[in-house]
Amino acid sequence: MIRLNDIWKAFHHNQVLKGINLEVQKGEVVVLLGPSGSGKSTLLRCINYLERADRGSIRIGDLEVDAAAVHKAEIAALRRKTTMVFQNYNLFRNKTAIENVMEGLTVVKRLPAAEARERSAQCLEKVGLGNRINYFPSQLSGGQQQRVGIARAMAMDPEVILFDEPTSSLDPEVVGGVLEVMKGLAKDGMTMIVVTHEMTFAQEVANQVAFMDDGVVVELGTPRQVFEQTRQDRTRVFLQRVRRDTVAPIGPAMPICATGANNSARAFQADMDPNIAGLP
């Protein structure tokens, strides 16, 4: 089980999170909805300490930490229970698909290379990339790269996977493949917290939907409660706008620049290893 209690986070004078409370049971899928700047991604990053919350507590399984006074060993223990799937894949551009998946297994879990390779191949097969294990990211589509990212998260055998808008950078034609992989994880009982604007996914897969705005949870309930029995006007306005935009013409996806590979790789390393410089 995951319990977030009174989570606050500010960047300088900008209060991004304002006392967030959220519980996620084992095997549940919780979808976070809300406009840009509402604090959704910051909340995910606070859960595994890519950002340090200013106040509150975080519990994952049998581990509970004081968000503001956590020690480095507690951060490491918390991160061993979580993995994150990033919006822009965050793959090592100079490594093949299977080498990207193996990285956390050999560096963090310190598995022998042969065992790490076998597990990585199994995870890539599960996301439909068994015939692409030796391809480099530049040889894969955006959807395939994101599926490598999901395989990498699966391979770490986490208690929860955090998804930060996993389809927002993808061409609309390949979004479905990524969502199908996520649906498969949900059916297998993986606990997931997902930031997304994919309304159909939220309605079909989520156990709970939390609508966030201005750093607070405005509305929380089952998909039926949030989408069909909406209680808050702010939620209703957001859903109406998203539904209207969904049927509007969709332009081509923006290209993903490969020159930021080192920064992307570093973000993945930070997700796995609290000893990297610059982390809290």
Side-chain angles (χ1 to χ4, degrees), residues 36-96:
S36 297
S38 59
K40 308 180 301 295
S41 294
T42 299
L43 182 61
L44 283 192
R45 294 171 68 85
C46 286
I47 292 173
N48 72 341
Y49 275 86
L50 288 177
E51 298 289 352
R52 182 191 292 268
D54 300 323
R55 197 169 86 208
S57 65
I58 299 171
R59 181 186 181 93
I60 301 179
D62 58 358
L63 175 65
E64 183 168 4
V65 300
D66 182 328
V70 64
H71 301 293
K72 188 167 288 188
E74 292 176 314
I75 294 176
L78 201 68
R79 287 185 178 158
R80 284 193 291 269
K81 294 175 177 289
T82 70
T83 54
M84 182 174 281
V85 176
F86 297 91
Q87 180 176 341
N88 289 329
Y89 328 135
N90 287 17
L91 300 181
F92 293 93
R93 312 299 293 190
N94 63 336
K95 294 181 182 291
T96 63

Side-chain angles (χ1 to χ4, degrees), residues 22 31 36 47 64 73 85 118 128 147 215 226 243 256 278:
L22 184 67
V31 168
S36 297
I47 292 173
E64 183 168 4
V85 176
E118 181 179 1
R147 281 187 277 158
V226 173
R243 288 165 179 152
I256 301 299

Side-chain angles (χ1 to χ4, degrees), residues 6-12 14-20 42-43 46 50-55 215:
D6 197 30
I7 300 296
W8 292 76
K9 175 64 181 177
F11 294 100
H12 302 292
N14 181 23
Q15 191 71 56
V16 178
L17 300 177
K18 304 173 183 176
I20 298 291
T42 299
L43 182 61
C46 286
L50 288 177
E51 298 289 352
R52 182 191 292 268
D54 300 323
R55 197 169 86 208

Side-chain angles (χ1 to χ4, degrees), residues 148-224:
V148 172
I150 295 173
R152 179 176 62 189
M154 293 165 51
M156 298 299 290
D157 194 26
E159 294 187 24
V160 57
I161 300 180
L162 311 172
F163 290 84
D164 188 8
E165 299 197 42
T167 61
S168 64
S169 296
L170 301 179
D171 189 295
E173 293 181 350
V174 301
V175 165
V178 172
L179 294 179
E180 284 302 313
V181 170
M182 294 172 65
K183 289 178 183 179
L185 286 173
K187 289 178 181 177
D188 290 342
M190 173 58 67
T191 307
M192 301 189 290
I193 303 177
V194 184
V195 173
T196 185
H197 292 303
E198 299 291 342
M199 299 294 108
T200 300
F201 174 85
Q203 289 175 293
E204 292 179 354
V205 180
N207 301 99
Q208 295 186 79
V209 175
F211 172 68
M212 293 181 61
D213 189 33
D214 195 27
V216 301
V217 175
V218 175
E219 189 151 357
L220 175 67
T222 66
R224 180 179 180 84

